[in-house]
Amino acid sequence: KNTLKKKLNGKASHKISNSELDKFIDLMKKSSKPIFYTGGGVINSGPDASKHLRELVSLTGFPITSTLQGLGAYPGDDPQFLGMLGMHGTYEANNAMHDCDLMINIGARFDDRITGKVDEFSPGSKKIHVDIDPSSIGKNIKVDLAIVSDVSKFLKSLIKRFKEKNKNFLSSNKQKTSKWWSTIEKWREKKSLNFINSNKIIKPQHAVQRLYELTKDKDTFVTTEVGQHQMWAAQHYKFNKPNRWMTSGGLGTMGYGLPAAIGVQIANPGKLVVDPDFTIQDPNNYTQTINPTVAVSNWLVETRKNNEKRAIRVVKREYLNTLVNDTKNILQYQNSSQYKRNTGKVATNNLV
């Protein structure tokens, strides 16, 4: 049970003590099969958090994996990155999470897409959890060391303390983790994200890979809808910066990608924004993969045109309805006794 003090806003003004930092470092030093497990909390903590995370991973030489919402906090093309974990994650990331002896959770929440069966989740590991929200710690998985803190502030303090006491950690720890890395490389040989390409059709996985190769040297922002294409984008596009991956996570909000792309484009007018939605309902979405800015602009223009056409149709329909109703009223009046008295005539019914 989580016994940490909770506050109404979900945060805690928790000062990090040296004893907590030393416990953290001691667990890292004792580990021979460690892994960093990072999530959206790193992104939400700000760009400095990602910088500190990259420095810590470099200092330790530990492997690192990420949740869907944490992609980009650590470079996706770095050799120490094992790819995304969880239900749609890589073979090496999920096996490393299961077999590790130390799991360092930074800004993630142990959700069911990661843990699967809770009682079978990484049974042999010590677990550290760093999170700004105390209610998230101990909620799903019991941990051995809980740190309630903003990720950026904590990592900055940890790195400073780590450097003071462990100047040669990386070189001295290489032999200790060498077997672990050998095991990970064997898992990598499975190439779990491989697919059989085709000369007849464009496979979505291949399209995302080509998209990455064509845009990796640009500061590209990627948004998605919800579904399989969302997972293909997460698996095959390598995000190297934070806040470049906009996607709906737990809520699964379908229709998120296009308005998100419009918002991102408005906020970053000189940048490339991509919404790779591979859907058969709207052929315009194929254009988004190639030229999303043009696609968004075209969509806005077409929407305006359609709205104008719709408005014209409504006006015409209302005009005709009014005309018919007025004609009926005229006929009723012309057939009335009052009209007969006034004119002595009977109106015909073929005026319309």
Side-chain angles (χ1 to χ4, degrees):
K1 186 178 178 181
N2 179 16
T3 58
L4 295 170
K5 184 179 179 181
K6 299 179 182 179
K7 294 199 173 183
L8 292 176
N9 63 359
K11 298 180 180 180
S13 55
H14 185 73
K15 187 176 180 181
I16 306 159
S17 67
N18 284 337
S19 62
E20 287 177 314
L21 295 174
D22 289 341
K23 286 178 184 177
F24 196 112
I25 293 168
D26 188 55
L27 284 169
M28 288 199 297
K29 289 170 71 174
K30 290 178 179 177
S31 172
S32 60
K33 298 190 294 182
I35 187 168
F36 284 109
Y37 155 41
T38 57
V42 181
I43 305 288
N44 294 337
S45 185
D48 284 344
S50 296
K51 292 177 183 177
H52 297 323
L53 176 65
R54 295 172 191 216
E55 185 178 0
L56 180 61
V57 174
S58 178
L59 285 170
T60 60
F62 292 174
I64 177 172
T65 183
S66 172
T67 65
L68 179 72
Q69 296 288 33
L71 293 174
Y74 191 84
D77 59 359
D78 190 272
Q80 285 176 247
F81 186 64
L82 306 187
M84 186 174 70
L85 78 160
M87 184 183 291
H88 298 277
T90 65
Y91 183 74
E92 55 268 30
N94 287 323
N95 274 305
M97 286 285 285
H98 184 270
D99 288 3
C100 68
D101 63 7
L102 177 64
M103 182 183 298
I104 305 170
N105 178 342
I106 302 177
R109 58 190 177 93
F110 289 114
D111 68 283
D112 57 357
R113 298 298 176 100
I114 303 302
T115 62
K117 293 182 180 179
V118 171
D119 55 349
E120 296 178 12
F121 176 70
S122 194
S125 67
K126 297 276 187 183
K127 297 174 183 70
I128 302 172
H129 192 178
V130 181
D131 204 295
I132 197 170
D133 181 4
S135 67
S136 291
I137 300 177
K139 180 180 177 181
N140 299 324
I141 299 293
K142 182 181 177 181
V143 297
D144 299 278
L145 178 61
I147 306 288
V148 179
S149 173
D150 171 69
V151 167
S152 184
K153 290 179 181 178
F154 173 75
L155 290 178
K156 185 178 180 180
S157 300
L158 179 66
I159 290 168
K160 182 181 177 182
R161 187 73 172 175
F162 189 81
K163 286 180 175 178
E164 289 172 358
K165 293 197 167 189
N166 303 276
K167 293 181 179 179
N168 300 314
F169 180 84
L170 182 59
S171 57
S172 62
N173 197 58
K174 271 187 177 180
Q175 188 174 357
K176 197 171 185 178
T177 58
S178 60
K179 287 184 179 179
W180 179 230
W181 272 112
S182 295
T183 302
I184 290 171
E185 292 304 324
K186 287 180 181 177
W187 289 331
R188 274 179 165 165
E189 289 173 5
K190 292 280 187 181
K191 299 186 183 299
S192 58
L193 298 182
N194 266 14
F195 58 95
I196 300 173
N197 211 348
S198 171
N199 293 324
K200 296 180 180 180
I201 62 171
I202 299 174
K203 289 291 185 75
Q205 300 95 317
H206 177 68
V208 175
Q209 288 178 353
R210 290 299 301 141
L211 177 66
Y212 169 71
E213 291 299 326
L214 293 168
T215 61
K216 65 182 179 181
D217 295 328
K218 300 179 181 182
D219 193 7
T220 308
F221 295 77
V222 178
T223 72
T224 71
E225 310 298 332
V226 172
Q228 185 57 58
H229 75 279
Q230 179 187 27
M231 297 300 106
W232 284 325
Q235 291 165 344
H236 296 282
Y237 199 100
K238 298 175 182 178
F239 298 94
N240 292 325
K241 292 181 180 180
N243 297 308
R244 298 304 187 272
W245 167 241
M246 274 62 66
T247 193
S248 176
L251 291 175
T253 315
M254 287 182 262
Y256 170 91
L258 183 58
I262 295 170
V264 172
Q265 190 71 81
I266 292 170
N268 301 274
K271 304 295 184 180
L272 177 64
V273 183
V274 184
D275 177 17
D277 180 8
F278 301 100
T279 174
I280 61 173
Q281 289 99 328
D282 184 1
N284 285 332
N285 286 327
Y286 294 110
T287 310
Q288 289 173 17
T289 303
I290 301 168
N291 196 336
T293 307
V294 173
V296 169
S297 300
N298 288 343
W299 179 84
L300 289 170
V301 171
E302 289 302 316
T303 300
R304 189 184 66 216
K305 287 180 179 177
N306 290 336
N307 286 340
E308 288 174 354
K309 289 177 183 177
R310 191 177 299 112
I312 291 169
R313 286 197 300 270
V314 169
V315 170
K316 285 182 177 178
R317 185 170 63 249
E318 291 301 319
Y319 173 76
L320 289 171
N321 288 339
T322 302
L323 183 62
V324 168
N325 289 331
D326 286 349
T327 303
K328 286 180 178 178
N329 290 334
I330 291 170
L331 287 172
Q332 287 175 0
Y333 172 69
Q334 288 177 340
N335 285 319
S336 66
S337 57
Q338 184 181 356
Y339 182 82
K340 292 175 185 176
R341 282 195 303 269
N342 293 337
T343 62
K345 298 178 181 178
V346 177
T348 60
N349 289 322
N350 59 353
L351 295 179
V352 178

